[in-house]
Amino acid sequence: MTNPHIGNTGVNFDDEESRQCFLAGLVIRSLSISTSNWRCTKALGDYLLERNLMGIYDVDTRAITRRLRQDGSLIGVLTTEESKTDEELLEMSRSWDIVGIDLISGVTCTAPYEWVDKTDPEWDFNCEGRGDIYHVIAYDFGIKHNILRRLSSYGCKITVVPSNWPASETLKMKPDGVLFSNGPGDPSAVPYAVKTVKELLGNVPVFGICMGHQLLGQALGGKTFKMKFGHHGGNHPVRNLVANRVEISAQNHNYAVDPASLPKGVEVTHINLNDGSCAGLAFPALNVISLQYHPEASPGPHDSDSVFGEFIKLMKEVKQKA
Ligand SMILES: NC(=O)CC[C@H](N)C(=O)O
């Protein structure tokens, strides 16, 4: 974390976005000696300790960040093992890589389940698109729970399915729409997921978020590539070319869709204003919309929350034409 003071607010369980903390390690500058926040239920150190998660502090994280911006993302190694020499640890880190590794299978759910929780009333700033009930099947590639809460608040009945759930089983459930979620790792390392997306395209309106956006990009015939260090933070400006407005967004990704690789008919709908990369797609012919970043916030700005209403509108239009 580049913010120097971490742990000031402690943690609370309302803010958890997955069934467990899949973190492997946390590197921070200064661990706050006290916590002060009305929502705090536990100190950060205790939270990590209870989950046997490694953390390290008093590290110059801003110097590390400057190095990453200069050299691109790097593999690092954190250990409490005193027995290994630095050279042995470096050797270990040299054998690791994120490219080509399926990290989704380690975080997806094991069986389908229904989701009912909504966001709290203070989130009811967007009522556009609400009304009828649409059944959405959400593919869990590492899904952030606030995506589900927002869909539920927009009136959807939601069935969450594992990342390897067959398209044929999804179609048997007769959904009004399918959501492909965010998720960790290299989108080119999960061809089984791209195959499922391809099999569903054209049968039902689809909405992709982050990893889901990248899988859609590949399923539509495009290519994804690894960025130098990606986008990670809650203040990234995006131009929404459809609404002709700039939205401040929450971003957390290391790959992107190459717009030059997309076939005719696929529209780039959002552009990241920091580097011009593709931040959103649409393919009206197959009722596809997707965003590279996180409209569900949690944490982050709510500027793009209206996209959930656009997904509802898409499902409504397709259902009316059926
Ligand atoms: N937040 C996400 O879904 C990330 C997508 C993908 N793992 C990437 O790093 O680009």
Side-chain angles (χ1 to χ4, degrees), residues 181-187 209-212 214 252-256 292 294:
S181 86
N182 63 295
D186 180 355
I209 293 178
C210 218
M211 171 61 89
Q214 295 163 356
N252 184 24
H253 65 107
N254 295 301
Y255 289 82
Q292 176 61 77
H294 290 272

Side-chain angles (χ1 to χ4, degrees), residues 40-321:
C40 174
T41 51
K42 191 174 284 292
L44 174 62
D46 295 339
Y47 181 85
L48 294 175
L49 211 55
E50 286 166 14
R51 287 155 183 77
N52 196 30
L53 294 172
M54 192 182 299
I56 184 170
Y57 58 86
D58 281 353
V59 174
D60 187 346
T61 49
R62 289 191 174 185
I64 292 177
T65 303
R66 283 198 305 275
R67 174 74 189 279
L68 297 177
R69 288 185 72 81
Q70 176 189 307
D71 296 346
S73 302
L74 297 170
I75 301 284
V77 53
L78 271 185
T79 178
T80 56
E81 289 252 338
E82 312 257 3
S83 59
K84 293 207 182 316
T85 64
D86 285 359
E87 194 41 49
E88 284 169 331
L89 293 172
L90 278 173
E91 209 38 53
M92 275 171 72
S93 66
R94 287 190 186 104
S95 65
W96 294 337
D97 203 340
I98 191 173
V99 175
I101 309 290
D102 171 3
L103 295 182
I104 287 176
S105 44
V107 299
T108 189
C109 59
T110 51
Y113 64 94
E114 301 304 313
W115 180 278
V116 291
D117 290 351
K118 297 182 186 326
T119 37
D120 293 340
E122 63 258 26
W123 281 76
D124 287 347
F125 37 75
N126 248 336
C127 295
E128 197 181 329
R130 297 189 200 190
D132 307 328
I133 294 180
Y134 296 99
H135 182 204
V136 172
I137 305 271
Y139 272 80
D140 174 6
F141 297 129
I143 196 163
K144 280 180 63 196
H145 287 172
N146 215 50
I147 293 172
L148 299 169
R149 291 188 204 98
R150 295 306 290 144
L151 285 172
S152 179
S153 293
Y154 271 82
C156 295
K157 174 187 177 315
I158 305 162
T159 307
V160 184
V161 298
S163 56
N164 60 357
W165 191 252
S168 55
E169 290 303 310
T170 293
L171 292 173
K172 279 182 199 162
M173 297 157 94
K174 298 191 182 317
D176 298 306
V178 174
L179 175 114
F180 299 115
S181 86
N182 63 295
D186 180 355
S188 301
V190 285
Y192 61 87
V194 177
K195 177 174 175 291
T196 301
V197 174
K198 273 184 185 165
E199 289 167 352
L200 289 169
L201 279 180
N203 291 294
V204 64
V206 297
F207 175 25
I209 293 178
C210 218
M211 171 61 89
H213 161 84
Q214 295 163 356
L215 299 176
L216 274 165
Q218 290 185 68
L220 289 167
K223 291 191 177 0
T224 53
F225 65 94
K226 191 168 185 302
M227 304 166 86
K228 186 173 181 184
F229 42 74
H231 297 140
H232 305 277
N235 59 354
H236 296 234
V238 167
R239 174 175 292 289
N240 179 333
L241 303 174
V242 178
N244 194 27
R245 66 169 179 251
V246 175
E247 296 169 5
I248 305 301
S249 64
Q251 308 235 358
N252 184 24
H253 65 107
N254 295 301
Y255 289 82
V257 173
D258 174 6
S261 68
L262 292 167
K264 196 169 160 35
V266 181
E267 299 159 11
V268 173
T269 55
H270 296 69
I271 301 280
N272 186 300
L273 289 176
N274 281 339
D275 62 3
S277 59
C278 172
L281 290 178
F283 189 31
L286 294 180
N287 299 309
V288 173
I289 56 172
S290 73
L291 290 181
Q292 176 61 77
Y293 56 96
H294 290 272
E296 78 284 358
S298 299
H302 302 155
D303 294 22
S304 303
D305 186 79
S306 57
V307 72
F308 292 105
E310 287 159 37
F311 183 39
I312 301 287
K313 198 166 136 240
L314 187 59
M315 291 190 282
K316 183 174 184 171
E317 285 165 0
V318 171
K319 196 162 188 174
Q320 283 169 345
K321 285 180 195 158

